[in-house]
Amino acid sequence: MSLNNKPVSETGQKTSPDYGSLVRFLVEPFLESSTSLSLDCEHAHGNNRVWIRLAFDGEDKGRVFGRGGRNIQAIRTVIQGVAKIAGESVYLDIYDESGGTSRRETPSGSRSQGRKGSPRRLPLPKPNSKPRS
């Protein structure tokens, strides 16, 4: 199978991976109750894009994201790897339990909303070797 071609089913039609089942399989072990997971997967067949929307209880957020975001980054890496093999782009939106706040991830895994980088520090002035008059 080539990276540029979608997987082909037995009937000869191109198929898309089951992202919903994959995400559910990867996220559920981190949840207190698997019923708290809401998952929506939307395919845009014309341009090979997939939007995955997740929501779960607030107390599960720490376990799903993991220390320093390691768990969610690993989940993103797996999803993006599958999408790359299928020749698709995946967008992952994670919502809070009320459904209000979204953190959208681009296919490369960088955030498209929100966070600013740390402020740039200017170098300290060098002390003059000559006294001022």
Side-chain angles (χ1 to χ4, degrees), residues 20-120:
S21 295
L22 176 61
V23 172
R24 189 171 298 279
F25 174 78
L26 295 171
V27 172
E28 277 185 352
F30 298 111
L31 303 176
E32 280 289 319
S33 171
S34 62
T35 59
S36 70
L37 178 65
S38 295
L39 179 77
D40 179 48
C41 189
E42 178 184 340
H43 295 267
H45 295 290
N47 52 11
N48 296 328
R49 292 185 182 177
V50 179
W51 282 269
I52 301 171
R53 295 173 192 90
L54 285 177
F56 44 83
D57 288 338
E59 55 266 4
D60 292 330
K61 182 178 178 181
R63 286 188 297 277
V64 172
F65 279 84
R67 185 174 292 174
R70 291 180 188 162
N71 294 345
I72 197 68
Q73 186 58 42
I75 291 168
R76 272 190 211 108
T77 301
V78 170
I79 295 166
Q80 290 170 357
V82 170
K84 186 173 183 178
I85 290 170
E88 297 176 333
S89 299
V90 174
Y91 298 87
L92 178 63
D93 287 338
I94 301 172
Y95 294 86
D96 63 7
E97 64 273 3
S98 66
T101 304
S102 168
R103 294 181 65 180
R104 169 169 275 180
E105 302 298 328
T106 63
S108 63
S110 61
R111 288 191 191 103
S112 62
Q113 295 178 352
R115 213 167 112 184
K116 294 181 182 178
S118 60
R120 184 174 176 197

